[in-house]
Amino acid sequence: MAPPDTRTQLLDAAERLFAERGYRGTSIRAITELAGANLAAVGYHFGSKSDLLAAVARRVIEPINAAQAAGLDRLLARTPDPQVADLVEAFVGPLFDEMPAGDEGGARTSRLIVTILSDPAEEVRNWMGPAEDAVRDRYVAAFGRALPSLAEAELWFRMRGILAVTAVDRVEIYHRPTPGCSSPVAGDEARRWALTFLAAAMSAPPTATR
């Protein structure tokens, strides 16, 4: 098998370092050294460090977004107003598929998602494009129809919570497997636990205003 090309090596190195150190804690020099590339390679292949971050994020998020969109399409083909539990499964399922328990790549993806959600750097907040916005907006609309009493701001807060809880759980499972959850069957059971918990969280009454 041929070794990865320079662009792929840079993406691999940047994904690992951004996940471990955050955006501001990762230098272009550290990325190129880990990738075994020269310092100018990031500029040549991506343009800038922020453009490299966007490429890393999209490489990780695009398969998840595509599966989420396909899951929502299937639900809407059955009914124009899916139930909350079905929407949660369509939204969360791809996260479990792309971040399998005990898999190093899945754990790295999980850490990167946590970084995207929590890193204060402006560049981390601004990488999303129209494709990512479209998937988010479709789910916000579908959840909004299922939960009409919930304000959109609180709805999006809960959806971000789904992402964070799932990503942190996958990282934790990789580093410290849950007792009794090492087999594929047990992994499926853990997935069901998560879906039950997250559906209940999404369905909770709106937070009372002070």
Side-chain angles (χ1 to χ4, degrees):
M1 180 181 296
D5 58 27
T6 299
R7 189 177 191 279
T8 300
Q9 290 175 319
L10 289 168
L11 286 167
D12 290 344
E15 180 181 333
R16 174 177 167 183
L17 293 175
F18 285 144
E20 292 176 354
R21 305 179 185 179
Y23 181 78
R24 291 175 180 161
T26 300
S27 67
I28 290 178
R29 182 176 296 277
I31 293 169
T32 54
E33 286 181 353
L34 183 60
N38 65 60
L39 198 58
V42 168
Y44 176 79
H45 288 280
F46 301 98
S48 67
K49 179 180 165 184
S50 61
D51 291 331
L52 173 57
L53 170 68
V56 167
R58 289 197 177 99
R59 186 176 71 157
V60 167
I61 299 298
E62 279 179 355
I64 295 173
N65 276 174
Q68 287 173 327
L72 184 55
D73 287 341
R74 288 191 294 271
L75 287 180
L76 295 176
R78 298 203 303 263
T79 173
D81 296 309
Q83 297 296 305
V84 171
D86 294 328
L87 289 168
V88 168
E89 184 168 6
F91 189 67
V92 173
L95 296 170
F96 278 87
D97 294 338
E98 292 295 325
M99 299 183 291
D103 178 75
E104 182 178 357
R108 188 168 57 248
T109 295
S110 305
R111 288 195 297 270
L112 184 66
I113 290 175
V114 172
T115 296
I116 290 170
L117 290 171
S118 62
D119 195 306
E122 183 178 350
E123 293 85 350
V124 180
R125 304 293 183 188
N126 295 333
W127 70 269
M128 290 178 63
E132 293 78 23
D133 289 341
V135 174
R136 178 199 63 193
D137 292 346
R138 290 184 68 204
Y139 270 96
V140 168
F143 275 117
R145 291 192 298 273
L147 299 163
S149 62
L150 201 62
E152 184 172 325
E154 184 168 4
L155 176 60
W156 177 232
F157 174 84
R158 293 184 186 188
M159 290 175 63
R160 290 178 70 247
I162 285 177
L163 295 172
V165 167
T166 307
V168 169
D169 172 72
R170 298 292 87 191
V171 173
E172 181 72 6
I173 287 294
Y174 176 73
H175 290 295
R176 193 177 343 181
T178 301
C181 288
S182 58
S183 71
V185 172
D188 288 343
E189 187 173 43
R191 180 177 180 145
R192 290 194 297 272
W193 295 338
L195 292 173
T196 299
F197 168 74
L198 294 169
M202 285 298 296
S203 301
T207 303
T209 56
R210 292 182 181 274

